[in-house]
Amino acid sequence: MLPSSRRLRALAGLAAVCVLVGAASAGSSVTQPYEEIPLYSDGVLLGADGMPHLVPVGGAASEDAAVLAAQDAWLAEGVVPGPERYRDMAERALRDLDALVLENGASIAAASTAWRYVWPRDASFTAAALARTGHPEDAHAVLAYLQDMQDRRSTDGVFEARYLPDGSGDVPDGRGLQLDGNGWVLWAVAQWYAAAPPGPGRDRGLEALRPLVERSLDAIRSRTDPTSGVPEVFPDYWEVAESVPTLGTLAPLLLGVRSAEPVLVALGAPAETALERLLATAVDTHFAPVYPRHLGGRLQDTAVAFLMPPFAPPDGGVRRAWQEAAVGMARPAGGLAPGEGWKEDGISWTPETALFALTAAASGDLDQAHRWLGWLDEHRTARGSLPEKVLWDGRPSAVAPLAWTASVVLLTLDEIDRADQVVAD
């Protein structure tokens, strides 16, 4: 049974939706209780200039024949993951990522103006998705760009919230440092290394990324309390000012350090066993068994998914908290909000929903993974791109495509392929 406060919130939300629908069906005047955000574009296409161009809502997409042929060839070099029923979504997600990764390796979050930047967190997922769908060279380019930004435009190796695509100038706003990016980057390097074909080419590629790995580990170590294992206070994927440490920072640091082990072995570098144990102890001591968003808090958020497979070994207590979090984060259209404490705007966020699909698939709960994937598939734009948000009534909204969502969906489909292969074997 759900804790009473959470159960009441879920029932209250359901009641509000029922009242709204009932009033509308009776022809009554209804005051919209939820936020309205327009859909900014139907998608993106790769232009002859090599740059992503927005497809207007309801507008026609004029594809350049030569560019489309080149993209077709690029798709054929890799794999389109997942069951056939998701092929259109998977192929569109791959084409969108191809358009959103620039020639210099800058992986922009989206093509709309305010999103046309590189977030290390989002770019790490893009690198992982490209690597696991048969495009390791593209993935390496994304990681090399992040290494360059860390080298030239970071503070003691800690990543900024986002960077300009051409790497020039100051960071675009005052969002400040976000340490979780260092954990995600380590995870992405490990994903690339595991997916790249073994041999001298991979060895050289990894050696080229040595500074990224070493600086990220140093940054995590220097910003983590050596006694408690709790990191300093930073904004996480919510990108708001924080006054206490969050699981959204700690969990990515743990998964990043943990996943780096084979990379460190290949580099001939010392293992980070002590740092991993310190971070794991911090999770167990200060966040279990509820795994809330904030240290000392109760409300949960998507960060509990970062403690689930494929990011961590299976754990029964974490799984229960993950299930509870999904209930508390549920939104009227069927997706999830970033967390229980998010404003009651009725909006589902696709990256968070996709992360629950990914962790369900990696945990062996394929039925639940398919439910989330089906929901994402049903709420794409007319062009087929995955939007950032879905309004209370199911309309896609905000930017489309969002690279983070596209990447997580591809990783989820790859997890399903791996599960199907185990069954076949």
Side-chain angles (χ1 to χ4, degrees), residues 242-305:
E242 302 290 353
S243 58
V244 296
T246 69
L247 188 61
T249 293
L250 174 56
L253 302 188
L254 174 57
L255 70 88
V257 172
R258 179 189 290 124
S259 64
E261 181 178 354
V263 169
L264 294 174
V265 170
L267 288 171
E272 291 290 345
T273 307
L275 180 58
E276 179 185 343
R277 185 183 302 116
L278 181 65
L279 294 166
T281 299
V283 171
D284 293 340
T285 303
H286 301 286
F287 287 88
V290 177
Y291 303 100
R293 166 169 171 69
H294 289 108
L295 181 67
R298 295 293 299 176
L299 297 179
Q300 297 166 314
D301 73 346
T302 304
V304 69

Short mmCIF file of all heavy atoms in Angstrom, two decimals, residues 242-305:
data_model
loop_
_atom_site.label_atom_id
_atom_site.label_comp_id
_atom_site.label_asym_id
_atom_site.label_seq_id
_atom_site.Cartn_x
_atom_site.Cartn_y
_atom_site.Cartn_z
N GLU A 242 20.04 24.73 -5.25
CA GLU A 242 19.81 23.80 -4.15
C GLU A 242 20.51 24.29 -2.89
O GLU A 242 21.55 24.96 -2.96
CB GLU A 242 20.32 22.40 -4.51
CG GLU A 242 19.71 21.80 -5.77
CD GLU A 242 18.26 21.42 -5.61
OE1 GLU A 242 17.73 21.51 -4.48
OE2 GLU A 242 17.62 21.04 -6.62
N SER A 243 19.96 23.92 -1.75
CA SER A 243 20.58 24.27 -0.48
C SER A 243 21.15 23.06 0.25
O SER A 243 21.91 23.20 1.21
CB SER A 243 19.57 24.98 0.43
OG SER A 243 18.44 24.16 0.67
N VAL A 244 20.76 21.86 -0.19
CA VAL A 244 21.29 20.61 0.38
C VAL A 244 21.62 19.66 -0.77
O VAL A 244 21.11 19.81 -1.88
CB VAL A 244 20.26 19.93 1.34
CG1 VAL A 244 19.98 20.80 2.54
CG2 VAL A 244 18.96 19.62 0.61
N PRO A 245 22.48 18.67 -0.52
CA PRO A 245 22.84 17.72 -1.57
C PRO A 245 21.62 16.94 -2.06
O PRO A 245 20.66 16.70 -1.31
CB PRO A 245 23.85 16.81 -0.88
CG PRO A 245 24.40 17.61 0.25
CD PRO A 245 23.26 18.46 0.72
N THR A 246 21.67 16.51 -3.31
CA THR A 246 20.57 15.76 -3.91
C THR A 246 21.04 14.39 -4.39
O THR A 246 22.21 14.20 -4.72
CB THR A 246 19.96 16.51 -5.11
OG1 THR A 246 20.92 16.51 -6.19
CG2 THR A 246 19.58 17.93 -4.75
N LEU A 247 20.08 13.47 -4.43
CA LEU A 247 20.36 12.16 -5.01
C LEU A 247 20.64 12.29 -6.50
O LEU A 247 21.37 11.49 -7.07
CB LEU A 247 19.15 11.23 -4.78
CG LEU A 247 19.33 9.76 -5.16
CD1 LEU A 247 20.46 9.11 -4.35
CD2 LEU A 247 18.02 9.00 -4.96
N GLY A 248 20.08 13.33 -7.13
CA GLY A 248 20.32 13.57 -8.54
C GLY A 248 21.75 13.92 -8.86
O GLY A 248 22.16 13.85 -10.03
N THR A 249 22.55 14.30 -7.86
CA THR A 249 23.99 14.46 -8.04
C THR A 249 24.74 13.23 -7.57
O THR A 249 25.60 12.70 -8.27
CB THR A 249 24.50 15.70 -7.28
OG1 THR A 249 23.95 16.88 -7.88
CG2 THR A 249 26.01 15.79 -7.32
N LEU A 250 24.39 12.73 -6.40
CA LEU A 250 25.12 11.59 -5.83
C LEU A 250 25.00 10.34 -6.69
O LEU A 250 26.01 9.67 -6.97
CB LEU A 250 24.61 11.31 -4.42
CG LEU A 250 25.16 10.06 -3.72
CD1 LEU A 250 26.68 10.08 -3.64
CD2 LEU A 250 24.55 9.93 -2.32
N ALA A 251 23.81 9.99 -7.13
CA ALA A 251 23.62 8.74 -7.88
C ALA A 251 24.41 8.71 -9.18
O ALA A 251 25.06 7.70 -9.49
CB ALA A 251 22.13 8.50 -8.13
N PRO A 252 24.42 9.78 -10.00
CA PRO A 252 25.26 9.75 -11.20
C PRO A 252 26.75 9.65 -10.90
O PRO A 252 27.50 9.05 -11.68
CB PRO A 252 24.92 11.08 -11.89
CG PRO A 252 23.54 11.40 -11.44
CD PRO A 252 23.51 10.95 -10.01
N LEU A 253 27.20 10.24 -9.79
CA LEU A 253 28.61 10.11 -9.43
C LEU A 253 28.94 8.65 -9.14
O LEU A 253 29.97 8.13 -9.58
CB LEU A 253 28.94 10.98 -8.23
CG LEU A 253 28.67 12.48 -8.36
CD1 LEU A 253 29.22 13.22 -7.15
CD2 LEU A 253 29.24 13.04 -9.65
N LEU A 254 28.05 7.99 -8.39
CA LEU A 254 28.27 6.58 -8.07
C LEU A 254 28.28 5.73 -9.32
O LEU A 254 29.17 4.90 -9.53
CB LEU A 254 27.21 6.10 -7.08
CG LEU A 254 27.22 4.60 -6.76
CD1 LEU A 254 28.57 4.15 -6.23
CD2 LEU A 254 26.10 4.25 -5.78
N LEU A 255 27.30 5.89 -10.17
CA LEU A 255 27.23 5.04 -11.36
C LEU A 255 28.38 5.33 -12.32
O LEU A 255 28.87 4.43 -13.02
CB LEU A 255 25.86 5.18 -12.05
CG LEU A 255 25.50 6.48 -12.77
CD1 LEU A 255 25.96 6.48 -14.22
CD2 LEU A 255 23.98 6.70 -12.72
N GLY A 256 28.82 6.60 -12.34
CA GLY A 256 29.95 6.93 -13.20
C GLY A 256 31.24 6.29 -12.73
O GLY A 256 31.99 5.71 -13.52
N VAL A 257 31.51 6.38 -11.44
CA VAL A 257 32.73 5.77 -10.88
C VAL A 257 32.66 4.25 -11.01
O VAL A 257 33.65 3.60 -11.37
CB VAL A 257 32.91 6.19 -9.41
CG1 VAL A 257 34.06 5.42 -8.76
CG2 VAL A 257 33.15 7.70 -9.31
N ARG A 258 31.50 3.68 -10.74
CA ARG A 258 31.35 2.22 -10.84
C ARG A 258 31.58 1.74 -12.27
O ARG A 258 32.29 0.75 -12.51
CB ARG A 258 29.96 1.81 -10.37
CG ARG A 258 29.71 0.31 -10.47
CD ARG A 258 28.27 -0.03 -10.19
NE ARG A 258 27.91 0.15 -8.79
CZ ARG A 258 26.92 0.91 -8.35
NH1 ARG A 258 26.18 1.61 -9.21
NH2 ARG A 258 26.66 1.00 -7.06
N SER A 259 31.01 2.44 -13.24
CA SER A 259 31.11 1.99 -14.62
C SER A 259 32.50 2.20 -15.20
O SER A 259 32.86 1.57 -16.20
CB SER A 259 30.08 2.72 -15.49
OG SER A 259 30.35 4.11 -15.53
N ALA A 260 33.30 3.05 -14.57
CA ALA A 260 34.63 3.36 -15.10
C ALA A 260 35.64 2.24 -14.90
O ALA A 260 36.74 2.30 -15.47
CB ALA A 260 35.15 4.64 -14.45
N GLU A 261 35.31 1.23 -14.12
CA GLU A 261 36.29 0.19 -13.78
C GLU A 261 36.97 -0.44 -15.00
O GLU A 261 38.21 -0.48 -15.07
CB GLU A 261 35.65 -0.89 -12.92
CG GLU A 261 36.62 -1.98 -12.51
CD GLU A 261 35.97 -3.04 -11.62
OE1 GLU A 261 34.81 -2.86 -11.22
OE2 GLU A 261 36.66 -4.04 -11.32
N PRO A 262 36.23 -0.96 -16.00
CA PRO A 262 36.92 -1.55 -17.15
C PRO A 262 37.73 -0.53 -17.94
O PRO A 262 38.75 -0.89 -18.55
CB PRO A 262 35.78 -2.14 -17.98
CG PRO A 262 34.55 -1.44 -17.54
CD PRO A 262 34.77 -1.11 -16.10
N VAL A 263 37.29 0.71 -17.95
CA VAL A 263 38.04 1.76 -18.64
C VAL A 263 39.37 2.00 -17.95
O VAL A 263 40.42 2.12 -18.59
CB VAL A 263 37.20 3.06 -18.68
CG1 VAL A 263 38.05 4.23 -19.14
CG2 VAL A 263 35.99 2.88 -19.59
N LEU A 264 39.35 2.05 -16.62
CA LEU A 264 40.58 2.26 -15.87
C LEU A 264 41.55 1.09 -16.05
O LEU A 264 42.76 1.29 -16.16
CB LEU A 264 40.26 2.47 -14.39
CG LEU A 264 39.48 3.75 -14.07
CD1 LEU A 264 39.09 3.77 -12.59
CD2 LEU A 264 40.27 4.98 -14.44
N VAL A 265 41.02 -0.12 -16.07
CA VAL A 265 41.87 -1.30 -16.31
C VAL A 265 42.55 -1.18 -17.66
O VAL A 265 43.76 -1.41 -17.80
CB VAL A 265 41.03 -2.58 -16.24
CG1 VAL A 265 41.85 -3.78 -16.71
CG2 VAL A 265 40.53 -2.82 -14.81
N ALA A 266 41.79 -0.81 -18.68
CA ALA A 266 42.34 -0.69 -20.03
C ALA A 266 43.38 0.42 -20.11
O ALA A 266 44.33 0.34 -20.89
CB ALA A 266 41.21 -0.43 -21.03
N LEU A 267 43.21 1.47 -19.33
CA LEU A 267 44.16 2.58 -19.32
C LEU A 267 45.37 2.31 -18.44
O LEU A 267 46.31 3.11 -18.40
CB LEU A 267 43.47 3.86 -18.84
CG LEU A 267 42.47 4.51 -19.80
CD1 LEU A 267 41.72 5.64 -19.10
CD2 LEU A 267 43.18 5.04 -21.05
N GLY A 268 45.33 1.20 -17.71
CA GLY A 268 46.41 0.91 -16.78
C GLY A 268 46.42 1.84 -15.59
O GLY A 268 47.47 2.06 -14.96
N ALA A 269 45.26 2.40 -15.27
CA ALA A 269 45.13 3.33 -14.16
C ALA A 269 44.65 2.59 -12.91
O ALA A 269 44.03 1.54 -13.01
CB ALA A 269 44.15 4.44 -14.52
N PRO A 270 44.92 3.14 -11.73
CA PRO A 270 44.48 2.46 -10.50
C PRO A 270 42.96 2.43 -10.38
O PRO A 270 42.27 3.34 -10.84
CB PRO A 270 45.11 3.31 -9.39
CG PRO A 270 45.38 4.63 -10.01
CD PRO A 270 45.69 4.36 -11.45
N ALA A 271 42.46 1.39 -9.76
CA ALA A 271 41.02 1.26 -9.54
C ALA A 271 40.54 2.32 -8.55
O ALA A 271 41.31 2.82 -7.73
CB ALA A 271 40.69 -0.13 -9.02
N GLU A 272 39.27 2.65 -8.66
CA GLU A 272 38.67 3.64 -7.76
C GLU A 272 37.74 2.96 -6.76
O GLU A 272 36.65 3.44 -6.47
CB GLU A 272 37.90 4.68 -8.57
CG GLU A 272 38.78 5.59 -9.41
CD GLU A 272 39.59 6.57 -8.55
OE1 GLU A 272 39.26 6.73 -7.36
OE2 GLU A 272 40.56 7.15 -9.09
N THR A 273 38.20 1.84 -6.23
CA THR A 273 37.39 1.05 -5.30
C THR A 273 36.97 1.85 -4.07
O THR A 273 35.81 1.81 -3.64
CB THR A 273 38.15 -0.21 -4.87
OG1 THR A 273 38.58 -0.92 -6.03
CG2 THR A 273 37.26 -1.10 -4.02
N ALA A 274 37.91 2.60 -3.50
CA ALA A 274 37.62 3.35 -2.28
C ALA A 274 36.59 4.44 -2.56
O ALA A 274 35.67 4.66 -1.76
CB ALA A 274 38.90 3.94 -1.72
N LEU A 275 36.71 5.14 -3.68
CA LEU A 275 35.76 6.20 -4.01
C LEU A 275 34.38 5.62 -4.28
O LEU A 275 33.37 6.16 -3.83
CB LEU A 275 36.25 6.99 -5.22
CG LEU A 275 35.37 8.15 -5.69
CD1 LEU A 275 35.15 9.16 -4.56
CD2 LEU A 275 36.00 8.83 -6.91
N GLU A 276 34.35 4.51 -4.99
CA GLU A 276 33.06 3.86 -5.25
C GLU A 276 32.40 3.43 -3.95
O GLU A 276 31.20 3.64 -3.74
CB GLU A 276 33.25 2.65 -6.16
CG GLU A 276 31.96 1.91 -6.45
CD GLU A 276 32.17 0.64 -7.26
OE1 GLU A 276 33.25 0.49 -7.88
OE2 GLU A 276 31.26 -0.22 -7.28
N ARG A 277 33.18 2.83 -3.05
CA ARG A 277 32.63 2.38 -1.77
C ARG A 277 32.13 3.57 -0.95
O ARG A 277 31.08 3.50 -0.30
CB ARG A 277 33.69 1.61 -1.00
CG ARG A 277 33.17 0.98 0.31
CD ARG A 277 34.28 0.28 1.08
NE ARG A 277 34.93 -0.76 0.28
CZ ARG A 277 36.21 -0.72 -0.10
NH1 ARG A 277 36.97 0.30 0.24
NH2 ARG A 277 36.72 -1.69 -0.81
N LEU A 278 32.86 4.67 -0.99
CA LEU A 278 32.47 5.87 -0.24
C LEU A 278 31.13 6.40 -0.74
O LEU A 278 30.24 6.73 0.06
CB LEU A 278 33.56 6.94 -0.39
CG LEU A 278 33.35 8.26 0.35
CD1 LEU A 278 33.36 8.05 1.86
CD2 LEU A 278 34.44 9.27 -0.06
N LEU A 279 30.96 6.50 -2.05
CA LEU A 279 29.71 7.00 -2.63
C LEU A 279 28.56 6.04 -2.37
O LEU A 279 27.43 6.48 -2.07
CB LEU A 279 29.89 7.22 -4.14
CG LEU A 279 30.89 8.33 -4.53
CD1 LEU A 279 31.25 8.23 -6.01
CD2 LEU A 279 30.33 9.70 -4.20
N ALA A 280 28.83 4.74 -2.47
CA ALA A 280 27.78 3.75 -2.21
C ALA A 280 27.33 3.81 -0.75
O ALA A 280 26.12 3.69 -0.45
CB ALA A 280 28.28 2.35 -2.56
N THR A 281 28.28 4.00 0.14
CA THR A 281 27.93 4.12 1.56
C THR A 281 27.07 5.35 1.81
O THR A 281 26.14 5.33 2.62
CB THR A 281 29.21 4.18 2.41
OG1 THR A 281 29.95 2.96 2.23
CG2 THR A 281 28.88 4.34 3.88
N ALA A 282 27.37 6.44 1.10
CA ALA A 282 26.58 7.65 1.25
C ALA A 282 25.13 7.42 0.83
O ALA A 282 24.20 7.90 1.48
CB ALA A 282 27.19 8.78 0.41
N VAL A 283 24.93 6.68 -0.27
CA VAL A 283 23.57 6.36 -0.71
C VAL A 283 22.85 5.53 0.35
O VAL A 283 21.71 5.83 0.74
CB VAL A 283 23.60 5.61 -2.05
CG1 VAL A 283 22.20 5.09 -2.40
CG2 VAL A 283 24.10 6.52 -3.17
N ASP A 284 23.52 4.49 0.83
CA ASP A 284 22.90 3.57 1.80
C ASP A 284 22.64 4.25 3.15
O ASP A 284 21.62 3.99 3.80
CB ASP A 284 23.79 2.35 2.00
CG ASP A 284 23.88 1.48 0.76
OD1 ASP A 284 23.00 1.60 -0.10
OD2 ASP A 284 24.84 0.69 0.64
N THR A 285 23.55 5.10 3.55
CA THR A 285 23.45 5.71 4.88
C THR A 285 22.52 6.91 4.92
O THR A 285 21.75 7.09 5.87
CB THR A 285 24.85 6.13 5.37
OG1 THR A 285 25.72 5.00 5.37
CG2 THR A 285 24.78 6.73 6.77
N HIS A 286 22.56 7.72 3.89
CA HIS A 286 21.87 9.01 3.94
C HIS A 286 20.61 9.10 3.06
O HIS A 286 19.86 10.07 3.21
CB HIS A 286 22.85 10.13 3.54
CG HIS A 286 24.05 10.22 4.43
ND1 HIS A 286 23.99 10.73 5.70
CD2 HIS A 286 25.34 9.85 4.24
CE1 HIS A 286 25.19 10.69 6.26
NE2 HIS A 286 26.03 10.16 5.39
N PHE A 287 20.37 8.13 2.18
CA PHE A 287 19.20 8.21 1.30
C PHE A 287 18.29 7.00 1.39
O PHE A 287 17.08 7.11 1.13
CB PHE A 287 19.63 8.45 -0.15
CG PHE A 287 20.12 9.85 -0.40
CD1 PHE A 287 21.44 10.17 -0.21
CD2 PHE A 287 19.24 10.83 -0.82
CE1 PHE A 287 21.91 11.46 -0.43
CE2 PHE A 287 19.68 12.13 -1.05
CZ PHE A 287 21.02 12.45 -0.85
N ALA A 288 18.81 5.84 1.72
CA ALA A 288 17.96 4.66 1.88
C ALA A 288 17.10 4.82 3.15
O ALA A 288 17.51 5.53 4.08
CB ALA A 288 18.82 3.40 1.97
N PRO A 289 15.91 4.18 3.22
CA PRO A 289 15.31 3.29 2.22
C PRO A 289 14.34 3.98 1.27
O PRO A 289 13.85 3.36 0.35
CB PRO A 289 14.56 2.29 3.10
CG PRO A 289 14.08 3.14 4.25
CD PRO A 289 15.18 4.13 4.51
N VAL A 290 14.07 5.29 1.49
CA VAL A 290 13.09 5.98 0.65
C VAL A 290 13.73 6.50 -0.63
O VAL A 290 13.09 6.60 -1.66
CB VAL A 290 12.44 7.15 1.44
CG1 VAL A 290 11.47 7.94 0.57
CG2 VAL A 290 11.74 6.62 2.68
N TYR A 291 15.02 6.83 -0.58
CA TYR A 291 15.75 7.41 -1.70
C TYR A 291 15.08 8.69 -2.20
O TYR A 291 14.69 8.81 -3.36
CB TYR A 291 15.91 6.39 -2.84
CG TYR A 291 16.59 5.13 -2.38
CD1 TYR A 291 15.86 3.98 -2.07
CD2 TYR A 291 17.97 5.09 -2.20
CE1 TYR A 291 16.48 2.83 -1.60
CE2 TYR A 291 18.60 3.94 -1.74
CZ TYR A 291 17.85 2.82 -1.45
OH TYR A 291 18.47 1.67 -0.99
N PRO A 292 14.96 9.69 -1.31
CA PRO A 292 14.30 10.95 -1.68
C PRO A 292 15.22 11.81 -2.54
O PRO A 292 16.43 11.56 -2.64
CB PRO A 292 14.04 11.60 -0.34
CG PRO A 292 15.20 11.14 0.51
CD PRO A 292 15.45 9.71 0.08
N ARG A 293 14.64 12.83 -3.09
CA ARG A 293 15.40 13.77 -3.90
C ARG A 293 16.46 14.49 -3.08
O ARG A 293 17.62 14.57 -3.48
CB ARG A 293 14.45 14.79 -4.54
CG ARG A 293 15.14 15.99 -5.13
CD ARG A 293 14.21 16.84 -5.97
NE ARG A 293 14.85 18.09 -6.33
CZ ARG A 293 15.87 18.21 -7.17
NH1 ARG A 293 16.37 17.13 -7.73
NH2 ARG A 293 16.40 19.37 -7.45
N HIS A 294 16.06 15.01 -1.92
CA HIS A 294 16.97 15.80 -1.09
C HIS A 294 17.46 15.02 0.12
O HIS A 294 16.71 14.22 0.69
CB HIS A 294 16.29 17.08 -0.61
CG HIS A 294 16.07 18.09 -1.68
ND1 HIS A 294 14.82 18.37 -2.20
CD2 HIS A 294 16.94 18.89 -2.36
CE1 HIS A 294 14.92 19.30 -3.14
NE2 HIS A 294 16.19 19.63 -3.25
N LEU A 295 18.67 15.27 0.53
CA LEU A 295 19.20 14.72 1.77
C LEU A 295 18.30 15.16 2.92
O LEU A 295 18.06 16.36 3.10
CB LEU A 295 20.62 15.22 1.99
CG LEU A 295 21.33 14.72 3.25
CD1 LEU A 295 21.60 13.23 3.15
CD2 LEU A 295 22.65 15.48 3.44
N GLY A 296 17.75 14.20 3.66
CA GLY A 296 16.86 14.50 4.77
C GLY A 296 15.41 14.72 4.36
O GLY A 296 14.57 14.99 5.21
N GLY A 297 15.10 14.61 3.06
CA GLY A 297 13.73 14.83 2.59
C GLY A 297 12.92 13.55 2.51
O GLY A 297 13.35 12.48 2.96
N ARG A 298 11.72 13.65 1.92
CA ARG A 298 10.84 12.49 1.75
C ARG A 298 10.36 12.34 0.31
O ARG A 298 10.10 11.24 -0.15
CB ARG A 298 9.61 12.62 2.66
CG ARG A 298 9.91 12.59 4.15
CD ARG A 298 10.42 11.25 4.61
NE ARG A 298 9.48 10.17 4.40
CZ ARG A 298 9.73 8.88 4.65
NH1 ARG A 298 10.92 8.53 5.11
NH2 ARG A 298 8.81 7.95 4.44
N LEU A 299 10.23 13.46 -0.41
CA LEU A 299 9.70 13.39 -1.77
C LEU A 299 10.73 12.80 -2.72
O LEU A 299 11.91 13.14 -2.67
CB LEU A 299 9.29 14.79 -2.24
CG LEU A 299 8.17 15.47 -1.47
CD1 LEU A 299 7.90 16.86 -2.04
CD2 LEU A 299 6.90 14.62 -1.50
N GLN A 300 10.26 11.93 -3.58
CA GLN A 300 11.16 11.24 -4.52
C GLN A 300 11.15 11.93 -5.89
O GLN A 300 10.28 12.73 -6.20
CB GLN A 300 10.72 9.78 -4.68
CG GLN A 300 10.81 8.98 -3.40
CD GLN A 300 10.06 7.66 -3.50
OE1 GLN A 300 8.93 7.61 -3.97
NE2 GLN A 300 10.70 6.58 -3.08
N ASP A 301 12.16 11.56 -6.69
CA ASP A 301 12.19 12.04 -8.06
C ASP A 301 12.86 11.00 -8.96
O ASP A 301 13.12 9.88 -8.52
CB ASP A 301 12.86 13.41 -8.16
CG ASP A 301 14.38 13.35 -7.99
OD1 ASP A 301 14.91 12.32 -7.54
OD2 ASP A 301 15.04 14.36 -8.29
N THR A 302 13.12 11.37 -10.19
CA THR A 302 13.66 10.43 -11.17
C THR A 302 15.01 9.86 -10.76
O THR A 302 15.41 8.80 -11.25
CB THR A 302 13.76 11.12 -12.55
OG1 THR A 302 12.48 11.63 -12.91
CG2 THR A 302 14.22 10.15 -13.63
N ALA A 303 15.72 10.54 -9.87
CA ALA A 303 17.06 10.09 -9.50
C ALA A 303 17.07 8.68 -8.92
O ALA A 303 18.09 8.00 -9.00
CB ALA A 303 17.69 11.07 -8.51
N VAL A 304 15.95 8.22 -8.37
CA VAL A 304 15.93 6.85 -7.86
C VAL A 304 16.15 5.86 -8.99
O VAL A 304 16.70 4.77 -8.79
CB VAL A 304 14.60 6.56 -7.11
CG1 VAL A 304 13.42 6.52 -8.07
CG2 VAL A 304 14.69 5.24 -6.34
N ALA A 305 15.78 6.24 -10.22
CA ALA A 305 16.02 5.37 -11.37
C ALA A 305 17.50 5.22 -11.66
O ALA A 305 17.92 4.21 -12.25
CB ALA A 305 15.29 5.91 -12.61
#
